[in-house]
Amino acid sequence: MDAIVLGGGLMGAASAYFLARRGVRVTLVERNRVGSGATVASFGNIRRSGRYIPQLALARRSLALWGEASKMLGRDVEFRATGHLRLIFSQAGLDEMRSFAEAARPWDLDLEELGPKEIRSRFPGLGPKAIAASFSPKDGSGNPRLIAPAFADAARRLGAKIVEEADVRAITRVVSGFKIETSKGDYAAEALLNTAGAWGARIAAQFGENVPIVAKGPQMGVTEPLPHRILPVVGVWAHDHGGGYLRQVERGNVVFGGGAERTDVSLDTGYATADPARLPGQLRALLPLLPMLANVAVIRTWSGCEGYVEDGLPVMGPSATTPGLFHAFGFCGHGFQLGPGVGEVMAEIMSMGRTDVFLDDFKINRF
């Protein structure tokens, strides 16, 4: 079997790797550089808490792969299981957390509920006015700049062809499968995997499958290095205080996101920019999580083009109209943790025609 993967973000690069590992002849085609789109704009959050419950089987599969990633790919992708702390500032947040924790227990996600005294003693300086929190010790973070190139390089070592900076000019269904015309030549294969992110709906539409999706850019930032004191990734329940989140990297910088509206992005350019005017409000929204941010310097802000599907869920699985066509796109800003699992599951579906991971809610014909 041979396959073309369109899109070189984390989903595409991971899929190319797992397909190649199964002996599939793979060509990955990326319009820019591998990992330069939504993946590199990611916060790097590897969390399971707060996910759509039917997505937890995939998240569990992916977490196991994150744990194996450095050995599997031959390089450190900075996965750190530092734990994920989600602060609670309201009764609505507490109710949401408890309801989720009960529903998530069958999926091996045991959330520890912390009271105010436990938060202060275990995580000093975080959430001084929080009334409670959940803690998931096996979750954590990874480096968005490292993971997609690591998968692509590992796929290349297994024989995959990685084609970067190639504009796709035409996609044609032919008797033997698919033909892709690009600025760097033409490619043909039996199977086609659409992992084109926010552009994925444009590809699907060419085969009569319409997906309501919009392109948005998150506002991310990083501070100057601070004395290291924050180990877990930190977020909130019930979108209290603007839904902000943050983590401190080993060099001391605090990476943050949330607390600001996402900007609109044109798919014609795919160019997303952070809005400096929104930065003060974003930082104010983060102060209840980490008050010490009031007196630090922000050294960089950035954004990236992400695809948000109307119902908040990704498109994942085989095409409903075209044999040999598969989709994995529209992860709505929540795909980073899922990436390795998506790659492995799509490789299973494409090479064997089945997977034991529940995907029914993500079918493209649900719209």
Side-chain angles (χ1 to χ4, degrees):
M1 176 185 176
D2 48 20
I4 295 171
V5 178
L6 283 183
L10 174 52
M11 306 304 174
S15 297
Y17 169 78
F18 285 110
L19 283 166
R21 203 165 78 165
R22 287 180 169 273
V24 176
R25 296 181 298 278
V26 184
T27 301
L28 183 148
V29 179
E30 163 57 36
R31 66 197 295 264
N32 291 312
R33 303 288 293 180
V34 166
S36 63
T39 301
V40 80
S42 171
F43 171 69
N45 201 357
I46 297 175
R47 67 159 177 91
R48 292 168 296 157
S49 59
R51 287 197 176 276
Y52 181 61
I53 291 296
Q55 204 176 67
L56 287 178
L58 179 60
R60 178 174 61 184
R61 170 84 75 95
S62 200
L63 182 63
L65 292 169
W66 274 108
E68 302 169 7
S70 292
K71 181 178 180 181
M72 182 172 62
L73 303 177
R75 68 173 72 172
D76 181 14
V77 295
E78 296 184 6
F79 168 64
R80 304 290 186 264
T82 55
H84 191 270
L85 181 74
R86 297 192 80 178
L87 298 167
I88 299 167
F89 295 90
S90 67
Q91 187 61 44
L94 185 58
D95 293 344
E96 180 185 351
M97 185 276 288
R98 288 174 173 171
S99 176
F100 177 86
E102 182 65 27
R105 197 164 289 118
W107 304 105
D108 299 329
L109 176 54
D110 293 318
L111 292 181
E112 181 182 359
E113 181 177 329
L114 307 180
K117 289 184 179 179
E118 293 171 292
I119 298 171
R120 314 295 178 258
S121 62
R122 291 174 58 177
F123 305 106
L126 293 176
K129 295 184 179 180
I131 64 171
S134 69
F135 185 64
S136 175
K138 295 180 181 179
D139 293 330
S141 64
N143 191 324
R145 295 182 176 275
L146 300 179
I147 187 63
F151 267 117
D153 287 347
R156 187 184 287 110
R157 292 195 296 271
L158 292 173
K161 184 177 180 66
I162 310 298
V163 184
E164 298 179 286
E165 298 180 330
D167 290 326
V168 176
R169 294 169 176 169
I171 304 172
T172 308
R173 184 78 166 94
V174 295
V175 173
S176 59
F178 300 87
K179 179 182 177 182
I180 313 297
E181 300 174 38
T182 82
S183 58
K184 288 197 170 180
D186 299 346
Y187 304 93
E190 300 168 48
L192 175 64
L193 174 57
N194 169 19
T195 57
W199 291 266
R202 289 187 173 183
I203 295 172
Q206 296 181 46
F207 297 93
E209 299 180 292
N210 295 314
V211 177
I213 192 171
V214 295
K216 295 285 185 178
Q219 177 143 309
M220 311 300 300
V222 62
T223 73
E224 62 186 323
L226 305 175
H228 193 269
R229 60 186 294 181
I230 306 166
L231 286 178
V233 177
V234 185
V236 296
W237 281 96
H239 298 290
D240 289 330
H241 301 288
Y245 43 86
L246 57 89
R247 63 185 176 94
Q248 190 169 26
V249 301
E250 293 165 2
R251 293 168 292 280
N253 310 77
V254 174
V255 181
F256 60 87
E261 289 295 320
R262 298 177 179 90
T263 58
D264 294 327
V265 180
S266 169
L267 287 180
D268 293 334
T269 64
Y271 186 61
T273 58
D275 182 357
R278 303 183 189 196
L279 184 58
Q282 184 177 29
L283 291 172
R284 282 193 295 271
L286 292 168
L287 290 180
L289 282 66
L290 183 62
M292 67 181 291
L293 288 178
N295 298 303
V296 301
V298 174
I299 61 174
R300 187 167 69 90
T301 60
W302 69 92
S303 187
C305 183
E306 297 178 332
Y308 289 81
V309 181
E310 187 175 73
D311 62 4
L313 299 176
V315 172
M316 192 174 169
S319 164
T321 64
T322 310
L325 174 64
F326 301 85
H327 304 289
F329 68 89
F331 285 85
C332 306
H334 304 141
F336 187 76
Q337 191 273 348
L338 300 175
V342 170
E344 188 175 51
V345 167
M346 293 309 300
E348 289 176 353
I349 295 171
M350 293 174 69
S351 62
M352 300 191 303
R354 65 184 186 278
T355 181
D356 61 0
V357 175
F358 178 83
L359 298 177
D360 287 359
D361 287 5
F362 314 130
K363 291 180 177 178
I364 195 167
N365 60 355
R366 70 183 186 266
F367 300 106

